[in-house]
Amino acid sequence: MSRFDLYAPGLEQIGLSPDKILYAQGRKDSDVLALAEDGLLDGSLACVVVEVKAADQTATRRLQLAACDGKTPMLLFRRHRSRERCPLSGLSSAMTRWRIGAAPSSPLPHAGLGRPRWSVELVRQRNGNPFSIELEACDDTGRLALPAAAPDRAIAEGRAARQAA
């Protein structure tokens, strides 16, 4: 990350207390990508999360190989910072590519804001189909909620039944 903008109370709400996070910052994207690669190759981290403005195909390939070698999952965030250029338009060696954005919360019977919602779209995955879904923030059980029935749920249930037989 080239600038500090993580919201610590929000991270703690989802179970990531400060003693569970190793935070590294670099001056340039290339510094951040090098730190991420080192963290992935180390193999002792549970996950590596990186945010950069840009990462070319060579950088994403290096990260993908390091993640496989270190058996460590990785999330690479590229924020949409310009109206003219979508971060998903460039080439990437990532296994999956996601687009996540804010969605309107459900109306409440009284004044106030409902639970936050996100529009989550799997834009690309190797050997798989893209899909989109809407998620709602954690409920009392600490789980994300599906505010509406998934349109392909009947198809998925039928497939699971065939596989069990």
Side-chain angles (χ1 to χ4, degrees):
M1 198 177 270
S2 57
R3 67 173 204 193
F4 184 79
D5 66 351
L6 289 175
Y7 185 62
L11 293 174
E12 194 155 17
Q13 267 187 332
I14 60 166
L16 293 173
S17 59
D19 60 329
K20 294 181 181 177
I21 298 174
L22 176 63
Y23 182 83
Q25 201 170 345
R27 292 184 187 272
K28 302 179 291 186
D29 283 349
S30 58
D31 297 341
V32 175
L33 293 168
L35 288 167
E37 187 176 353
D38 290 344
L40 290 167
L41 289 171
D42 181 74
S44 65
L45 301 174
C47 182
V48 173
V49 180
V50 178
E51 181 182 348
V52 293
K53 290 180 184 172
D56 62 15
Q57 190 168 15
T58 302
T60 58
R61 181 69 177 151
R62 290 178 62 98
L63 292 171
Q64 194 268 332
L65 290 171
C68 286
D69 289 348
K71 296 179 175 55
T72 305
M74 181 192 166
L75 298 172
L76 174 66
F77 289 102
R78 292 189 281 183
R79 287 191 182 174
H80 185 57
R81 299 186 188 274
S82 168
R83 291 180 193 257
E84 297 84 37
R85 195 172 147 264
C86 174
L88 298 175
S89 63
L91 297 174
S92 172
S93 294
M95 298 295 284
T96 61
R97 297 180 87 177
W98 298 81
R99 180 178 294 125
I100 301 171
S105 61
S106 59
L108 296 175
H110 49 80
L113 298 174
R115 288 199 328 227
R117 286 186 177 177
W118 300 275
S119 168
V120 179
E121 180 183 0
L122 177 60
V123 177
R124 180 182 157 264
Q125 67 174 323
R126 292 185 188 168
N127 303 317
N129 295 323
F131 70 87
S132 60
I133 196 164
E134 194 170 283
L135 292 177
E136 198 167 63
C138 294
D139 57 14
D140 294 340
T141 64
R143 297 183 180 170
L144 293 173
L146 294 172
D152 297 327
R153 188 167 301 254
I155 294 169
E157 287 172 1
R159 187 179 315 127
R162 284 193 305 275
Q163 289 174 348

